[in-house]
Amino acid sequence: AGTIFDNILITDDEDFARQVAKETFEVSAAGEKEKKEAKDEVERTKREEERKAREAEEAAAEAEDEEEDDVDGDESAFTEDAVVESPSTDKEEVAEAGEIKDEL
């Protein structure tokens, strides 16, 4: 671990130091700023694409879940308008059910 320094100038002439700063630091700072902005834009675009892909996957999964819930349009026994069949009163069906019950 360490720190790297470059463009170091030691002088007692303040005007000369300002001139050197304009010639070196300000030029390189502008270039570095442009590179950083370009890199940030690439990262921002990548994050946006990932977000859109994730949202599309979530929407597809949600649509699939809804599709599974609506399979064959079956009515749920828990809805107010669900049709409830009454137990059979046919003697043959009742006898058959009794035989099956006895077998178990």
Side-chain angles (χ1 to χ4, degrees):
T3 305
I4 298 173
F5 294 98
D6 63 358
N7 294 334
I8 297 175
L9 173 67
I10 300 174
T11 183
D12 59 355
D13 188 353
E14 192 174 323
D15 292 331
F16 179 70
R18 290 182 198 279
Q19 178 187 354
V20 171
K22 284 183 181 182
E23 294 171 358
T24 58
F25 174 73
E26 291 178 6
V27 173
S28 65
E32 290 174 3
K33 183 177 180 182
E34 290 174 9
K35 288 179 185 178
K36 180 169 181 355
E37 288 173 353
K39 180 181 175 187
D40 290 347
E41 182 63 29
V42 168
E43 290 176 357
R44 190 174 16 260
T45 302
K46 182 179 176 183
R47 282 193 309 267
E48 183 68 19
E49 289 173 357
E50 289 172 351
R51 182 188 61 80
K52 287 180 181 180
R54 187 174 49 252
E55 287 176 355
E57 289 175 3
E58 290 172 357
E62 186 175 318
E64 186 177 307
D65 289 345
E66 288 178 10
E67 188 176 297
E68 289 175 2
D69 292 343
D70 295 336
V71 173
D72 298 331
D74 291 339
E75 289 183 352
S76 172
F78 300 108
T79 60
E80 291 181 21
D81 58 342
V83 177
V84 179
E85 296 179 16
S86 59
S88 176
T89 56
D90 184 16
K91 291 181 182 181
E92 288 179 14
E93 287 182 15
V94 170
E96 186 178 323
E99 290 174 11
I100 293 172
K101 182 179 177 184
D102 291 339
E103 290 176 9
L104 296 174

